Amino acid sequence: MPEAKSEVRVKSEEWEAELNEQLRLLINLQNVDKKIQRLVEEKRIIPLKIAEVEKKLKNAEQALEDKKAQYKKKQQEKKEKEILLDDELQRLKKLKSRTSEIKTNKEYQAHMVEIETTEKLIGEAEEKLLTVMEQLEEWTLEINSAEERIVDALKEFQCKKEQLEADDSQMGELLNELKMERQKVTEGIERELYETYNTLLRVRGGLAVVPVEDGSCMGCRLQIPPQVFNDVKKNQDIITCSYCHRFLYWGEGLRPVGT
């Protein structure tokens, strides 16, 4: 397998050596610009990736705040029910203390009904208070769980942020190297060709130099005339596609060495 790769590399070197010099430089410039375009796009989305991870952290923090707010409401509800229960207990205590003061049977029966009603209200109040206390226990567990998720989200955010920032820095260095390489390549390209290349790069979606494969321009995918194809195969002249006006070259799938 290594021998096959070496053979392809030799063929690529031979093919590149036979290219028209200006065409070779244009192809190399296009390859450098492709790398620059990819890096610029990768660098562009890094802040978006950081923001996405940060959003997860903020969502976890907001979830905790929401649960704490709900817990606070439950605490207030518990306090209100405790006051209500205490009022009924005090009422029951007073009612029972008056029992010995009742003189008639009719008054006694009415008094016992009132005590019974109060005891029923106390039972209902105790049940409601118990329910709220159980809910508070559940909320406590959920708050603890939310706090744990925040710790995990914070660790994930810091770790990914550091990695993404390191990637961004590394891409920046590589981008500077590619720009220097680009400058070196452009120094050998004729001014008029370079201006045309830049125009095509801008209006043709970053693709100004393309190969011809199976008789078609790989930029617009349209079939080129047979005579033009024969001229392109020689790689000795600067030829452009009559449809999209991109620079054309032929290499049977081979590409300049190092790309």
Side-chain angles (χ1 to χ4, degrees):
M1 197 67 177
E3 292 182 1
K5 288 183 179 180
S6 177
E7 183 179 348
V8 170
R9 183 177 182 85
V10 169
K11 287 183 178 180
S12 292
E13 291 173 343
E14 292 174 349
W15 167 76
E16 187 171 3
E18 294 174 357
L19 284 170
N20 171 292
E21 177 62 15
Q22 290 296 299
L23 182 58
R24 182 185 69 81
L25 290 173
L26 286 170
I27 295 171
N28 287 341
L29 180 58
Q30 177 68 84
N31 285 320
V32 171
D33 277 337
K34 283 181 181 178
K35 293 176 183 178
I36 289 175
Q37 290 163 11
R38 283 196 297 269
L39 272 178
V40 168
E41 178 58 23
E42 288 175 10
K43 277 179 65 63
R44 184 188 68 80
I45 64 177
I46 281 181
L48 301 179
K49 290 182 177 180
I50 293 176
E52 183 179 349
V53 180
E54 187 175 18
K55 184 179 179 181
K56 289 178 64 178
L57 175 60
K58 289 183 177 179
N59 287 342
E61 291 174 338
Q62 185 59 53
L64 176 59
E65 290 303 313
D66 291 343
K67 290 184 184 299
K68 284 183 175 180
Q70 292 170 335
Y71 183 83
K72 189 175 181 180
K73 288 181 179 179
K74 283 294 176 184
Q75 283 183 313
Q76 181 61 34
E77 185 180 346
K78 175 176 175 286
K79 185 176 180 180
E80 291 171 357
K81 292 189 180 304
E82 286 174 337
I83 292 172
L84 179 62
L85 176 59
D86 187 62
D87 288 344
E88 293 299 332
L89 288 170
Q90 292 299 320
R91 174 180 170 78
L92 180 62
K93 184 178 179 181
K94 289 178 181 179
L95 286 170
K96 287 184 175 181
S97 68
R98 287 169 42 208
T99 302
S100 59
E101 301 174 1
I102 298 174
K103 304 299 182 180
T104 67
N105 186 52
K106 185 176 181 181
E107 289 177 344
Y108 180 79
Q109 288 179 348
H111 182 70
M112 293 306 295
V113 169
E114 191 173 1
I115 287 177
E116 185 179 344
T117 301
T118 303
E119 287 177 336
K120 184 178 179 182
L121 289 173
I122 288 172
E124 292 174 352
E126 286 176 336
E127 281 188 27
K128 290 178 180 179
L129 179 59
L130 181 61
T131 299
V132 172
M133 291 174 67
E134 290 174 347
Q135 289 173 339
L136 280 171
E137 289 181 6
E138 292 176 2
W139 280 114
T140 299
L141 293 175
E142 291 192 22
I143 286 173
N144 291 338
S145 178
E147 288 175 337
E148 289 175 2
R149 285 195 293 273
I150 284 180
V151 172
D152 293 338
L154 181 59
K155 288 180 180 178
E156 181 184 6
F157 170 68
Q158 291 174 335
C159 181
K160 288 192 175 181
K161 185 172 182 287
E162 288 175 4
Q163 182 59 57
L164 288 167
E165 287 176 344
D167 291 345
D168 185 60
S169 177
Q170 186 176 10
M171 288 178 193
E173 293 176 3
L174 183 55
L175 194 55
N176 288 334
E177 292 175 6
L178 286 170
K179 286 179 179 179
M180 291 175 63
E181 182 180 348
R182 187 184 197 280
Q183 179 60 35
K184 185 177 179 180
V185 174
T186 58
E187 289 174 356
I189 300 177
E190 296 173 2
R191 181 179 180 83
E192 185 177 347
L193 281 178
Y194 181 59
E195 289 177 353
T196 302
Y197 170 88
N198 281 331
T199 299
L200 287 169
L201 199 70
R202 185 177 66 257
V203 301
R204 295 300 182 190
L207 201 57
V209 185
V210 296
V212 171
E213 295 180 7
D214 296 326
S216 296
C217 165
M218 289 294 97
C220 62
R221 303 288 174 170
L222 295 177
Q223 198 82 15
I224 62 175
Q227 183 56 49
V228 176
F229 178 50
N230 289 332
D231 292 337
V232 171
K233 287 177 67 175
K234 299 174 184 177
N235 283 330
Q236 290 301 305
D237 297 308
I238 301 298
I239 300 173
T240 60
C241 174
S242 57
Y243 303 107
C244 66
H245 307 295
R246 291 181 174 95
F247 294 109
L248 302 174
Y249 69 92
W250 185 77
E252 290 189 329
L254 296 175
R255 297 293 181 269
V257 176
T259 63

